[in-house]
Amino acid sequence: MPKHVDPEARRRLVVDALFRVVVRDGLQRTSLRAVAAEADLNIGSLRHYFASQHDLMHFAMQSMLDRVSDRLLAHVERIGDLSGHPRPEQLRLAVGLLTELLPLDERRRAEVGVFMDFNAAARSNPAIRDLSRKTAEATRRLVRNVLTRLDAAGTLRPDLDLTLETERLTALLDGLAFSSVLHPEVLAPPTCVDVLARHLDDLSSQGGAP
C-alpha cells in the first residue's frame, strides 16, 4: 500500500527547510532545488506542493508571520489587563511583549534575519509585497495596542500623541532588530532591552523617576 503523506506536515517540513537555507545562505541563493535537498525530498515532490518558487516564498513568509503572531497573542493573553499591576510591572510586561520582535535568541535572530531578506525581496517581488505591507501594519497595531493599554492604565504622560508615538516606537523596534542582526558585536541583546525599557520609561507619567 502507498504510504500516506500528511500534506500540511509535509508543507511545514518544507518551510522549516526553507528557513534553514535562507538563514544559512541568504534569500538570493535560495532555490526550490536547494530547499528540496535540505528537506531530503526530490524536486518533483516539492513541486507537488508548490508550483513555483514564488508560491514557496509566499507560503513560508505567511507561515513565519503566523508563528510570530501566535506567540504574541499568547503573550498578550498572559499579560491581561495592565491596570491591575503597579507602574514598574506594567512597563516590564510591555517590554517583555515587545521584545518578542527583537533578535534576543537564536530563534528570534533567525526570524528577523529571514524577515529582513523577505522585505528586501518584496521591493521587486509582487508575490510577497502584500505580506510585507500586512506585516508592517500588524506591527503598528501591536505597538498601538501596547501603548493604548498603558495609557488606559494611566501610565503614560497625558500629553502624548499615540499615533505619533506608535510610529516612533515601531521605528525604534525596527532599528534595534535590524542593527542587532547585522552587527551583533556592536548591539548586544541586553542593550536592545535596555534601550526599549528606557524609551517606554520616558513615555511614562513618572519617566525618569526612581
Side-chain angles (χ1 to χ4, degrees), residues 57-187:
M57 295 301 177
H58 191 282
F59 182 82
M61 189 171 182
Q62 184 64 66
S63 296
M64 185 184 72
L65 297 178
D66 289 344
R67 291 180 186 180
V68 175
S69 177
D70 289 346
R71 202 164 68 234
L72 288 168
L73 287 174
H75 203 134
V76 169
E77 288 298 318
R78 288 196 301 270
I79 288 176
D81 184 6
L82 287 176
S83 62
H85 302 279
R87 171 187 165 274
E89 181 67 5
Q90 290 178 22
L91 295 176
R92 187 190 68 79
L93 290 170
V95 169
L97 172 58
L98 294 173
T99 53
E100 288 290 345
L101 301 176
L102 297 179
L104 304 185
D105 53 30
E106 287 305 313
R107 179 197 64 194
R108 284 174 285 183
R109 183 172 298 279
E111 288 173 349
V112 173
V114 171
F115 179 67
M116 288 173 62
D117 276 0
F118 272 121
N119 270 317
R123 294 181 58 194
S124 57
N125 186 345
I128 57 177
R129 190 181 302 153
D130 62 324
L131 286 178
S132 179
R133 187 195 72 253
K134 290 177 181 177
T135 303
E137 294 169 348
T139 299
R140 283 161 173 78
R141 285 196 299 272
L142 172 69
V143 171
R144 180 63 181 248
N145 181 278
V146 170
L147 292 176
T148 298
R149 286 180 174 219
L150 290 171
D151 188 51
T155 302
L156 299 185
R157 301 200 313 266
D159 60 328
L160 294 180
D161 180 335
L162 292 190
T163 298
L164 180 62
E165 295 304 332
T166 295
E167 293 302 324
R168 282 215 307 157
L169 182 48
T170 300
L172 176 65
L173 289 166
D174 285 345
L176 291 173
F178 293 170
S179 293
S180 186
V181 164
L182 291 173
H183 307 291
E185 72 284 358
V186 175
L187 183 59

Side-chain angles (χ1 to χ4, degrees), residues 3-68:
K3 182 179 179 180
H4 174 71
V5 176
D6 182 344
E8 285 306 311
R10 177 63 60 84
R11 281 174 175 263
R12 288 193 295 272
L13 181 149
V14 170
V15 169
D16 288 342
L18 171 63
F19 287 163
R20 292 194 298 272
V21 173
V22 173
V23 170
R24 184 181 68 236
D25 302 329
L27 185 62
Q28 297 304 319
R29 296 183 180 179
T30 299
S31 64
L32 284 177
R33 191 170 300 279
V35 175
E38 182 71 23
D40 198 24
L41 298 170
N42 62 57
I43 190 70
S45 295
L46 192 64
R47 291 189 184 281
H48 178 72
Y49 296 96
F50 304 99
S52 67
Q53 186 170 358
H54 284 174
D55 289 344
L56 176 61
M57 295 301 177
H58 191 282
F59 182 82
M61 189 171 182
Q62 184 64 66
S63 296
M64 185 184 72
L65 297 178
D66 289 344
R67 291 180 186 180
V68 175

